[in-house]
């Protein structure tokens, strides 16, 4: 993961940045793209390894990379005709892709599923599952149980959303010679994510395994309604309608593309704010003063409806929710939008400006 950072001295903000809090879309486009994960088809359950999150660093990162979606792709392979996990759902008659895709009973399971308490429905009964960053695991259920899938999300630390769907799978592992198109089974799949989901991420319509076609129906997604957790040393979170657009005190931003090590976690922004204060204390003005970071705004930045990363704006003053008025911007024909925007304030802010204890003023 790479952090893109811009920091600006108090002098020159109005001149160099006529709109200092516009989202830096050029910087976002130059950052690493989000890592998009396609859950595996051929397992009953899958929990990815826990990776260590890279710490925030208040140093500008040089170099730009091509803006392409980074996908984690499972290598295709020929099967062995070995039995696959038995499905729990009904198999339409005839056992064809068309019959599965048009089966009203399967679709009714999705349209009639209850929205779990504490969650909001993102989409219902699509013919594609989600490819999204910060994938946290796959579970095969014994029924189309949206409440059970929500419970799995609630038990997984950092889970903020889930996708439940119905999948047509092979009864045995297809082999191009001995069993290229075996009878199907119907599975109920539940996948968990550490970032909010959108309908724009529902792009996984299935795949072929030899002559057998895996397809998906009844795909529902849900996002948690609850705010992100409190952060030690800060008050908040305070929900905002958009990103903060304040008249002054803006210090810069850090941007963290979503990946397997970075979900929607405002604690990452708190670390960036703390690291920036420490950096500025070590690099004060000539009179040994510096302006510490005492307030930050964390939000999800999406491109054309697809979440891209965590954007952290930092300030040396606190601002009311009424300043959260930046709802998004355009870069060419691409629309960038703000969601899940929250602010946090340092509980015990130092005086402004602060004095660096290890500094000797110039001329003294």
């Amino acid at each position: 993961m790479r952090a893109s950072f811009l920091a600006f001295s108090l002098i020159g903000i109005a001149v160099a940045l006529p709109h200092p809090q516009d989202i830096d879309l050029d910087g976002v486009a130059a950052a690493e793209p989000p890592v998009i994960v396609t859950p595996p088809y051929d397992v009953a359950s899958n929990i990815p390894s826990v990776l260590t999150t890279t710490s925030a660093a208040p140093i500008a990162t040089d170099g730009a990379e091509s803006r392409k979606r980074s996908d984690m792709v499972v290598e295709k392979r020929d099967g062995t005709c070995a039995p696959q996990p038995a499905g729990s759902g009904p198999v339409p008659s005839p056992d064809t892709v068309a019959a599965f895709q048009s089966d009203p009973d399967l679709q009714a399971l999705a349209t009639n599923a209850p929205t779990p308490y504490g969650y909001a429905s993102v989409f219902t009964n699509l013919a594609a599952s989600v490819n999204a960053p910060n994938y946290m695991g796959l579970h095969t259920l014994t029924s189309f149980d949206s409440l059970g899938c929500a419970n799995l999300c609630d038990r997984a630390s950092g889970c903020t959303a889930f996708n439940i769907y119905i999948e047509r799978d092979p009864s045995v592992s297809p082999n191009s010679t001995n069993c290229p198109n075996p009878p199907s089974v119907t599975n109920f799949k539940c996948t968990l994510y550490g970032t909010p989901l959108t309908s724009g991420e529902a792009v996984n319509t299935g795949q072929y395994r030899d002559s057998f076609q895996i397809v998906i129906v009844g795909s529902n997604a849900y996002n948690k309604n609850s705010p992100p957790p409190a952060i030690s040393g800060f008050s908040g979170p305070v929900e905002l309608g958009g990103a903060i657009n304040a008249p002054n005190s803006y210090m810069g931003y850090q941007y963290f593309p979503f990946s397997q090590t970075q979900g929607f976690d405002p604690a990452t922004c708190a670390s960036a704010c703390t690291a920036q204060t420490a950096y500025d204390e070590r690099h004060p003005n000539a009179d040994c003063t510096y302006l510490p970071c005492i307030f930050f705004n964390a939000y999800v930045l999406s491109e054309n409806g697809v979440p891209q990363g965590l954007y952290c704006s930092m300030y040396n003053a606190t601002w009311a929710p009424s300043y959260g008025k930046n709802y998004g911007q355009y870069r060419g024909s691409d629309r960038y939008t703000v969601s899940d925007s929250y602010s946090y304030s340092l509980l015990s802010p130092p005086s402004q400006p602060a004095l660096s204890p290890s500094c000797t003023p110039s001329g003294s």
Side-chain angles (χ1 to χ4, degrees):
M1 181 182 64
R2 190 179 72 180
S4 297
F5 180 77
L6 291 179
F8 308 102
S9 62
L10 185 62
I11 300 174
I13 285 181
V15 175
L17 295 171
H19 302 288
Q21 288 142 88
D22 278 358
I23 302 166
D24 181 16
L25 299 183
D26 289 337
V28 169
E32 294 177 356
V35 176
I36 309 298
V37 179
T38 300
Y41 293 99
D42 54 353
V43 296
S45 65
N46 171 248
I47 306 298
S49 300
V50 177
L51 302 175
T52 302
T53 302
T54 303
S55 300
I59 305 298
T61 305
D62 295 328
E65 301 178 22
S66 60
R67 182 65 176 171
K68 296 180 180 178
R69 194 176 76 168
S70 176
D71 293 342
M72 295 178 64
V73 180
V74 178
E75 182 181 358
K76 293 184 179 179
R77 61 192 184 279
D78 202 13
T80 62
C81 296
Q84 300 296 283
S88 299
V91 175
S93 181
D95 185 2
T96 63
V97 169
F100 183 87
Q101 291 176 321
S102 62
D103 189 297
D105 294 331
L106 294 179
Q107 297 186 31
L109 294 174
T111 56
N112 294 332
T115 298
Y117 180 78
Y119 288 80
S121 175
V122 180
F123 58 76
T124 301
N125 195 32
L126 297 187
S129 63
V130 164
N131 286 359
N134 213 227
Y135 162 73
M136 298 182 64
L138 176 148
H139 303 268
T140 299
L141 309 178
T142 57
S143 64
F144 195 92
D145 185 4
S146 57
L147 303 182
C149 194
N151 181 258
L152 290 169
C153 184
D154 291 340
R155 289 157 52 190
S157 177
C159 182
T160 62
F162 68 88
N163 181 203
I164 182 172
Y165 53 94
I166 308 168
E167 187 173 278
R168 181 181 189 263
D169 290 323
S171 56
V172 300
S173 179
N175 177 273
S176 59
T177 302
N178 299 317
C179 55
N181 190 18
S184 76
V185 296
T186 300
N187 281 309
F188 302 109
K189 300 291 185 72
C190 165
T191 52
L192 312 180
Y193 296 89
T195 60
L197 298 178
T198 69
S199 59
E201 294 170 305
V203 296
N204 181 15
T205 58
Q207 66 171 200
Y208 276 94
R209 293 185 61 188
D210 290 313
S211 298
F212 185 91
Q213 186 177 0
I214 296 173
V215 291
I216 291 163
V217 298
S219 180
N220 293 3
Y222 304 87
N223 289 335
K224 277 189 177 179
N225 282 327
S226 56
I231 298 174
S232 177
F234 290 84
S235 63
V238 176
E239 187 173 8
L240 307 174
I244 290 290
N245 192 1
N248 53 56
S249 78
Y250 178 60
M251 299 178 66
Y253 77 94
Q254 285 208 35
Y255 172 71
F256 300 89
F258 287 142
S259 68
Q260 285 303 92
T261 61
Q262 183 64 64
F264 178 60
D265 184 5
T268 304
C269 298
S271 296
C273 180
T274 301
Q276 187 61 41
T277 294
Y279 178 85
D280 290 342
E281 181 181 323
R282 296 193 303 269
H283 302 83
N285 299 316
D287 63 355
C288 292
T289 62
Y290 68 96
L291 295 173
C293 176
I294 65 171
F295 178 88
F296 68 85
N297 178 198
Y299 59 88
V300 174
L301 183 66
S302 296
E303 179 185 6
N304 299 323
V306 178
Q308 300 293 298
L310 172 67
Y311 201 100
C312 310
S313 297
M314 295 174 285
Y315 299 83
N316 54 50
T318 59
W319 297 99
S322 59
Y323 286 92
K325 295 180 178 180
N326 187 345
Y327 308 113
Q329 298 166 202
Y330 278 88
R331 184 175 187 264
S333 61
D334 293 320
R335 183 184 183 187
Y336 287 81
T337 51
V338 172
S339 65
D340 298 273
S341 182
Y342 294 89
S343 67
Y344 292 78
S345 303
L346 194 65
L347 283 174
S348 300
S351 59
Q352 296 274 22
L355 188 65
S356 178
S358 59
C359 174
T360 301
S362 299
S364 62

